[in-house]
Amino acid sequence: MSISNTDNKTELSATDLTVPANNDIMRVREFLVDLQARICQALEAQERDGGGNATFVPDDWERPEGGGGRSCVLADGEVIEKAGVMFSHIHVHNLPASATARHPHIAGRKAQAMGVSLVVHPKNPNVPTSHANVRLFVAEAEGEDPIWWFGGGFDLTPFYPVLADCVHWHQVCHDLCAPFGDSVYPDFKQWCDEYFHLRHRDEQRGIGGLFYDDVNTESRGWDFETCFNFMKAVGNGYLDGIMPIFEQRKDTPYTEAQREFQLYRRGRYVEYNLVYDRGTLFGLQSNGRIESILVSMPPLASWHYRFEPTEGSPEFALTDFYLKPRDWLTLYV
Amino acid sequence: MSISNTDNKTELSATDLTVPANNDIMRVREFLVDLQARICQALEAQERDGGGNATFVPDDWERPEGGGGRSCVLADGEVIEKAGVMFSHIHVHNLPASATARHPHIAGRKAQAMGVSLVVHPKNPNVPTSHANVRLFVAEAEGEDPIWWFGGGFDLTPFYPVLADCVHWHQVCHDLCAPFGDSVYPDFKQWCDEYFHLRHRDEQRGIGGLFYDDVNTESRGWDFETCFNFMKAVGNGYLDGIMPIFEQRKDTPYTEAQREFQLYRRGRYVEYNLVYDRGTLFGLQSNGRIESILVSMPPLASWHYRFEPTEGSPEFALTDFYLKPRDWLTLYV
């Protein structure tokens, strides 16, 4: 793994650094397919462990323009109320300008995008909703170097957060970033806080995690292999982050009122996804596969006019303390 | 009521036709305040008639920049699961350019906007969700004529539609428009179909009704009084349209599966409001009063991956037949 790119740059040609061979793209694909399977297995194990028997149902689909994917959806479990773990690998013959606002020079190129994206809505309000995504984009052109970048991240949306869980979550983020440089965790953690902000509520969606986009040789000085290694660290890190929380919180008893608060807070998740989430909006505007895009929506959500939790209650603490950008690793538990 | 404006124009000066005196604005305000009260009373009567005792709770609010409103919200009724009937009258000192994309020349002016807006989410899936809105906008400038226009409309979103109800709803629309000219119903009915279209689903939100905006002397040739009369016809027409449907459908028995289908379809209502509805998006972007804007959200909504109703079922008929733009008045029942 070449992390300290300045050292490597002297040994490798520019081509080695910037151009993913077709073989590299296939290795990323293999990792993603395997990651999807491992995440589904790990979540199913939680479901069984909680006395449920719901399983992921795979749904393979193809896109008329090329490529396709496998959407795996688990519904109505004992532990997991709804989860979608989606793999897709899409080919585009002629990139529309609208798809490349930040990179206008690649409009018209052939491109491919692949990734794994997931949202898990647990039934028990003591287990947070979680989201993760890792993706690779490559645009090709005859006689020119391909343009490529990686993006992704994961974030946690608790309803009844436990401080130790939040610190654990961010410790996982920190530790997976550490081998890639000291600035990586603070930068991508802040990016996550900025991205998952509900402006109209002036609230964070959750306690954050990591978010990054357009990561490549130019933006970060990382070669393809380093970027791919970071994708692996993030994909695997999601499991390291979420599994202990599932294990410790999924059997915590809860009241009907707590369940109602969960449904109410899920309304915010809907608001975020439909009003701000770039992936969702791009999908809706570009004739994406609607059912795959909106699998992120909660199975059940509610809205109440002017719901205001009692000061000092756990519901009050959620917005008053937890849903604000914080330096979690300095909070001792 | 001056409907045939060409006749009136010869008798009145341009000023009489285009400039609402302060007194006119107050008359509109009085109508709106009264309309809000009448709608709340009529809905509370339905609630009582269905054995419930939920009532509208008024919530008065003021805006730091000027103006305010009264939000009346009914929650957890036997007949009405959630309803918001909102009056607002807002003053703006300096119109932002973003608020006046269609009228760039009025940026920077003093303005006021007033209206009544409502959404009713009944509990019984046999009663449709309904929405209505009437509004007046006036922008002033020293030494110049005010710019003003009216807008509004109403639309119906059934879950288990009865064809006779749909025809009745559109008959009310047709009849209230008739005194204002033959083109009014077809024009505003089509505008409604175009406006309440979920592009990403290629589905109508419901069976439509009326929608109009920017209606004034210039756009339609109607003087202020005619526009105001049309506002009254629309406001009153909403009650004429919805009340018989409440009376006839609110006691229809329903199954748990039908209730679940209602929650699922309410998800579409959420998608529409957060992704397309101009009023909602403008409110979210302009620091509007979030709780008043999002009172339109259903009390409970659900999303299921790839839910596909059985061919021939009532659930299938909803999207296959009803949620397509139709000439309802030619459908005999």
Side-chain angles (χ1 to χ4, degrees), chain A residues 16-33:
Chain A
D16 289 329
L17 278 170
T18 58
V19 183
N22 211 26
N23 180 44
D24 292 329
I25 294 176
M26 290 315 288
R27 284 192 301 129
V28 175
R29 183 185 162 107
E30 274 161 35
F31 167 74
L32 293 173
V33 168

Side-chain angles (χ1 to χ4, degrees), chain A residues 179-316:
Chain A
F180 297 85
D182 289 347
S183 68
V184 178
Y185 171 69
D187 285 359
F188 292 179
K189 186 264 185 200
Q190 188 186 337
W191 203 343
C192 190
D193 285 340
E194 287 165 5
Y195 185 75
F196 291 111
H197 177 244
L198 277 82
R199 206 173 50 239
H200 66 279
R201 303 275 191 183
D202 193 19
E203 244 176 49
Q204 297 301 118
R205 169 159 103 169
I207 64 150
L210 299 172
F211 184 92
Y212 60 103
D213 201 2
D214 282 353
V215 165
N216 58 14
T217 308
E218 206 178 316
S219 69
R220 195 95 203 162
W222 290 354
D223 61 16
F224 188 88
E225 206 59 26
T226 306
C227 288
F228 181 25
N229 283 329
F230 189 69
M231 172 192 259
K232 290 183 201 164
V234 170
N236 297 330
Y238 167 73
L239 286 171
D240 296 339
I242 198 67
M243 285 304 140
I245 300 177
F246 258 106
E247 274 153 30
Q248 287 177 67
R249 310 296 165 206
K250 73 172 184 288
D251 299 321
T252 306
Y254 61 91
T255 64
E256 191 49 41
Q258 288 173 323
R259 168 72 176 166
E260 278 179 25
F261 182 67
Q262 178 196 41
L263 301 188
Y264 171 74
R265 291 300 313 178
R266 280 182 181 167
R268 297 289 209 276
Y269 215 81
V270 171
E271 290 176 26
Y272 184 83
N273 282 6
L274 293 180
V275 178
Y276 301 107
D277 188 70
R278 279 184 223 144
T280 305
L281 294 182
F282 177 74
L284 296 186
Q285 285 157 10
S286 63
N287 276 321
R289 188 174 184 262
I290 294 305
E291 289 297 317
S292 295
I293 296 161
L294 295 183
V295 74
S296 63
M297 301 298 262
L300 202 59
S302 72
W303 282 265
H304 305 292
Y305 179 69
R306 288 194 71 180
F307 171 78
E308 281 157 22
T310 317
E311 215 172 309
S313 67
E315 293 78 13
F316 185 83

Side-chain angles (χ1 to χ4, degrees), chain A residues 59 201 291 299 301-302 305-306, chain B residues 59 201 291 301-302 305-306:
Chain A
D59 184 17
R201 303 275 191 183
E291 289 297 317
S302 72
Y305 179 69
R306 288 194 71 180
Chain B
D59 184 16
R201 303 274 192 182
E291 288 297 318
S302 71
Y305 179 70
R306 289 194 71 179

